[in-house]
């Protein structure tokens, strides 16, 4: 098997048993990227020499001193600072900008031994508008989603094992669904956002892409995601006897046929495997969540982008200048109503979530839309982003055009490790019986 | 009058009428610093050549193209990134580190024409422990407070007009009180924290030091602090007929004689000037605030400092490694209880505050303590930091040792501009009749 096909967990085994060097792995990935980049266009910056340099340095580390992510390949979304690589935010303002500083998340990965492959494409400053030219590896005529377009596409296309993204609306979970890979948005602020470009302090959350739950668990350990009951969290959760809430939020009418079919199939499969399934509607007070999310995003971006606005407002997307100019005329009173309203619902949702093994809900409206400009709707994601809950996209289903469709597993805040143990078991069922199979496109 | 004595507002007048060049102003400041630095020790980094280079470039800008802060001198706390100057966080980990990147706040100041004088001292990563060697200019045997020690001391000592600080506990308002200057902590997240080292995302707030409210208003405009009712906010507030709440929080028993006397004098003065004064106790549910503040700080610092912990935990203060290791064993449940508990009190406090022209409450326990190691207690600040309210320290009172004592003016969130108009009138009274006078020490 070509090394580029390995998940992070598989790589680590090969590096450990000596059957693979990091340099050989890096060269395999670079060859894969070379073969596919003109089609998928996942990279904003990639310097093969820097990759090989890192790989050789990693190979020189004696086995007993190697980190828990030794040699594992990572794509870094281009709104996160990295030494030795520019950070350009898909913005002309930062064209060629390369400050010698690592984001906190990048520092943690490097200290764990990660092999940084390059900077992956993003919409401008991770906004919901105007996707980069990146294509969905499952169908090049479609978007991989956004704003973490490149990281999701690169992981789905076997160009890299792990992708770093962020989510302010649905920028991690939605691309996970569109590309047929696992994606995780941990509890808000469980991982530092230091060195990521801020969009909305209350909403911005780091995100991960991988092709297995084992890989996500590896990241969870490295980033010290810790639940209150670690022993329980580390115990496998059986589907038999588990209790799932299928949650239809206020945006349920937006679900397309692919998502509706996935929800139906998932419900049937989990029942067949012995789980209890309940269709649950959130109380009506949660219906304000999408509107409140939008207000929080708009108003927090107002201060977040003032520096770039002062540098050169002409070089910003209108969507971003609108934030700074408060073009929707949101008053401070409305801003605080949204901020406090969401805050009051967080513990209420946690309480609901505590009654179930996990919540299951759509990851996207449907399959990835056609084209690159529109990166898809975040309607099914924004509620969980604002509630600060961990979310894992589990792939396995198929839409009307044969494209992947995933579903979101959600738990209460700081149940990240628990959620991963659930995702592992649910993933086995969805991936084997959901109807869609991951495929390495040539 | 020596140019170094000018406030920001006074400088701008001189630059406008052509009676002063930025270079002449810069040289005056540098001479003042040269004279005083060995005693006050406010600077972590200062390069006179870079200062003169900026000043000359500013002088070359034609008058019609000058920014609203043209030539005004600013000290930048050394946890905020700056191009051309190192950012060292008073940490051996970042010794000599100088990434070419500006914090968002620094970008905004530079675009407005500010003259950056240097990086001002801080405790390690702005923690509450172990002050830098910086001395209080009013009495060199005492602390200027922390963690924004250098910015506060430099402004108080007429080495710079404006100081940038941050506040996670009481790191801006307390040094304001200790040094006898104005200090402002705006509403949380009204100004971007991008490029400031994160301690606690929910608590960290930028802070300003100045020697006049006019200067704070200048900054408020540049940073686009905007209330809902700008016309009203811009209208002067008269003390006659104003209604002040003197708030004694749960930490009231900690107030020392200087602070008790200041509260008494302030009450008497405001009454004499025709204001209505009410002594108000917050409802008992606010008594949890100091404990919740501590839990939020501890647990959010747990993820904020993981990168530095992974780089070199041996080089971190035990206070910081304790955060990362969760040595106080705070559970996720307790963390969320604190996070949600404070969130629920924010709108309740805003409602209380809306009944008054402003809240008046202590800025510190008492005068600045002796020595440099202990930077003073933040007991009287943490409640407002966690509530996200704007706070202005107004100087004017005197403690038992002749040191300055200030009081905090507090308003509901996003009433920053209103609070400044109140501070201007209250400041006139306190500064003229409170008993303490600012003095330029030779």
């Amino acid at each position: 098997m070509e090394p580029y096909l390995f998940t992070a967990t598989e790589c680590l085994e090969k590096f450990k048993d000596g059957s693979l060097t990091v340099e050989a792995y890096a060269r395999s990935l670079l060859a894969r990227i070379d073969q596919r980049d003109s089609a998928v266009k996942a990279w904003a910056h990639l310097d093969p020499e820097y990759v090989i340099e890192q790989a050789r340095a990693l190979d020189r580390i004696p086995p007993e001193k190697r980190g828990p992510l030794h040699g594992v390949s990572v794509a870094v979304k281009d709104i996160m600072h990295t030494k030795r690589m520019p950070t350009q935010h898909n913005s002309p303002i930062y064209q060629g900008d390369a400050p010698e500083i690592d984001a906190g998340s990048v520092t943690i990965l490097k200290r764990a031994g990660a092999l940084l492959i390059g900077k992956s494409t993003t919409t401008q400053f991770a906004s919901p508008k105007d996707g980069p030219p990146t294509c969905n590896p499952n169908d090049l005529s479609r978007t991989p989603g956004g704003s973490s377009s490149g990281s999701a596409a690169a992981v789905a296309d076997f160009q890299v094992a792990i992708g770093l993204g962020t989510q302010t609306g649905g920028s991690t979970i939605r691309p996970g669904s569109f590309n047929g890979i696992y994606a995780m948005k941990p509890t808000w602020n469980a991982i530092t956002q230091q060195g990521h470009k801020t969009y909305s302090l209350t909403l911005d959350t780091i995100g991960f892409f991988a092709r297995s739950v084992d890989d996500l668990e590896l990241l969870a350990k490295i980033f010290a995601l810790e639940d209150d009951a670690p022993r329980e969290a580390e115990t496998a959760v059986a589907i038999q006897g588990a209790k799932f809430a299928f949650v239809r939020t206020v945006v349920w009418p937006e679900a397309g046929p692919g998502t509706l079919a996935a929800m139906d199939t998932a419900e049937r499969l989990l029942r067949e495997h012995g789980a209890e399934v309940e269709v649950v509607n959130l109380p009506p007070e949660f219906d304000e969540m999408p509107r409140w999310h939008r207000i929080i995003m708009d108003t927090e971006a107002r201060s977040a982008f003032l520096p770039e606005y002062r540098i050169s407002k002409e070089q910003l997307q209108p969507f971003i200048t609108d934030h700074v100019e408060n073009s929707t005329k949101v008053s401070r009173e409305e801003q605080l109503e949204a901020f406090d309203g969401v805050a009051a619902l967080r513990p209420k949702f946690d309480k609901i979530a505590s009654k179930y093994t996990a919540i299951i809900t759509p990851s996207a409206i449907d399959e990835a839309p056609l084209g690159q400009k529109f990166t898809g709707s975040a309607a099914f994601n924004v509620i969980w982003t604002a509630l600060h809950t961990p979310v894992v996209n589990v792939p396995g289903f198929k839409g009307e055009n044969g494209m992947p469709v995933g579903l979101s597993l959600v738990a209460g805040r700081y149940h990240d490790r628990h959620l991963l143990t659930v995702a592992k078991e649910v993933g086995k069922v969805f991936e084997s019986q959901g109807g869609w199979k991951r495929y390495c496109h040539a």
Side-chain angles (χ1 to χ4, degrees), chain A:
Chain A
M1 193 157 101
E2 286 294 331
Y4 67 77
L5 294 167
F6 297 145
T7 63
T9 309
E10 289 164 349
C11 279
L12 287 173
E13 283 166 17
K14 305 288 174 190
F15 296 143
K16 195 166 262 178
D17 71 17
S19 64
L20 182 66
T21 64
V22 180
E23 184 174 348
Y25 171 58
R27 292 195 183 278
S28 171
L29 290 167
L30 290 172
R32 170 74 185 162
I33 292 167
D34 196 46
Q35 180 201 347
R36 293 283 295 173
D37 189 45
S38 60
V40 178
K41 307 181 189 79
W43 302 97
H45 171 87
L46 196 154
D47 173 7
E49 278 181 35
Y50 175 48
V51 175
I52 296 299
E53 184 190 317
Q54 289 174 76
R56 286 178 177 164
L58 287 162
D59 281 330
R60 282 193 298 268
I61 299 172
E64 69 279 9
K65 290 193 172 171
R66 291 176 179 174
L69 210 67
H70 176 80
V72 170
S73 58
V74 177
V76 181
K77 185 176 183 176
D78 201 23
I79 63 156
M80 299 168 169
H81 281 117
T82 44
K83 292 180 181 175
R84 294 285 302 270
M85 298 192 281
T87 302
Q88 304 180 98
H89 310 274
N90 192 11
S91 157
I93 291 173
Y94 292 104
Q95 191 66 40
D97 195 41
E100 277 296 300
I101 189 166
D102 281 327
S105 52
V106 171
T107 296
I108 291 167
L109 289 172
K110 282 165 86 169
R111 289 279 153 176
L115 173 73
L116 303 188
I117 300 300
K119 302 303 283 283
S120 53
T121 58
T122 173
T123 58
Q124 186 174 112
F125 297 114
S127 90
K129 293 282 168 189
D130 296 358
T134 312
C135 298
N136 192 310
N138 299 284
D139 175 350
L140 297 172
S141 70
R142 292 174 187 270
T143 177
S147 61
S148 312
S149 315
S151 281
V155 169
D157 199 43
F158 297 84
Q159 296 182 28
V160 72
I162 301 293
L164 287 194
T166 59
Q167 176 155 317
T168 303
S171 289
T172 295
I173 297 302
R174 178 168 94 263
S177 179
F178 286 177
N179 292 281
I181 54 177
Y182 287 92
M184 180 184 197
K185 179 196 88 63
T187 299
W188 176 82
N189 203 19
I191 297 174
T192 180
Q193 302 172 26
Q194 187 89 55
H196 304 178
K197 172 64 192 163
T198 302
Y199 204 108
S200 158
L201 220 50
T202 302
L203 300 171
D204 292 351
T205 316
I206 196 169
F208 303 130
F209 300 103
R211 293 189 302 270
S212 83
V213 178
D214 285 340
D215 286 9
L216 293 179
E217 287 194 322
L218 196 59
L219 293 169
K221 281 177 206 161
I222 288 160
F223 282 99
L225 294 179
E226 283 156 4
D227 295 2
D228 259 343
R231 272 168 306 181
E232 195 186 335
E234 282 163 20
T235 307
V237 172
I239 301 291
Q240 173 77 43
K243 192 173 170 189
F244 294 98
F246 274 58
V247 167
R248 300 171 174 193
T249 61
V250 64
V251 289
W252 181 247
E254 295 190 40
T259 288
L260 290 172
M263 287 285 277
D264 281 349
T265 307
E267 192 180 328
R268 178 178 54 75
L269 288 174
L270 291 174
R271 281 195 207 278
E272 284 173 11
H273 285 263
E276 196 180 325
V277 174
E278 209 177 299
V279 175
V280 174
N281 289 305
L282 295 180
E285 55 187 334
F286 284 83
D287 293 359
E288 290 283 18
M289 288 291 299
R291 191 175 70 86
W292 283 344
H293 172 277
R294 177 59 192 254
I295 289 175
I296 294 172
M297 195 179 87
D298 276 349
T299 53
E300 296 198 346
R302 182 174 168 183
S303 54
F305 289 105
L306 185 62
E308 286 76 18
Y309 185 87
R310 290 285 168 77
I311 291 171
S312 174
K313 65 179 168 184
E314 299 74 20
Q315 291 182 287
L316 289 172
Q317 277 182 347
F319 191 78
I320 291 184
T321 55
D322 280 351
H323 292 318
V324 180
E325 294 171 355
N326 188 24
S327 67
T328 52
K329 307 254 177 268
V330 181
S331 68
R332 295 302 191 185
E333 193 181 341
E334 289 167 308
Q335 174 179 354
L336 292 173
E337 186 213 359
F339 185 85
D340 296 335
V342 168
L345 291 181
R346 285 188 196 115
K348 290 183 186 173
F349 174 75
D350 287 351
K351 205 170 170 188
I352 295 170
S354 71
K355 296 180 201 151
Y356 303 95
T357 307
I359 306 285
I360 297 189
T361 196
S363 287
I365 283 179
D366 210 311
E367 298 170 311
L370 285 163
Q372 268 66 48
K373 194 169 164 67
F374 176 53
T375 64
S377 161
F380 279 107
N381 314 116
V382 298
I383 294 179
W384 319 110
T385 308
L387 288 174
H388 291 175
T389 61
V391 183
V392 174
N393 175 69
V394 178
F397 304 98
K398 187 157 72 176
E400 290 185 327
N401 300 287
M403 291 291 289
V405 172
L407 293 178
S408 286
L409 264 60
V410 183
R413 290 171 294 171
Y414 288 110
H415 288 72
D416 301 69
R417 299 298 290 274
H418 164 77
L419 191 65
L420 285 172
T421 63
V422 181
K424 195 182 287 188
E425 296 309 309
V426 169
K428 283 176 195 163
V429 174
F430 290 2
E431 285 212 85
S432 63
Q433 299 181 271
W436 180 83
K437 298 278 176 233
R438 188 172 304 113
Y439 179 77
C440 180
H441 297 261

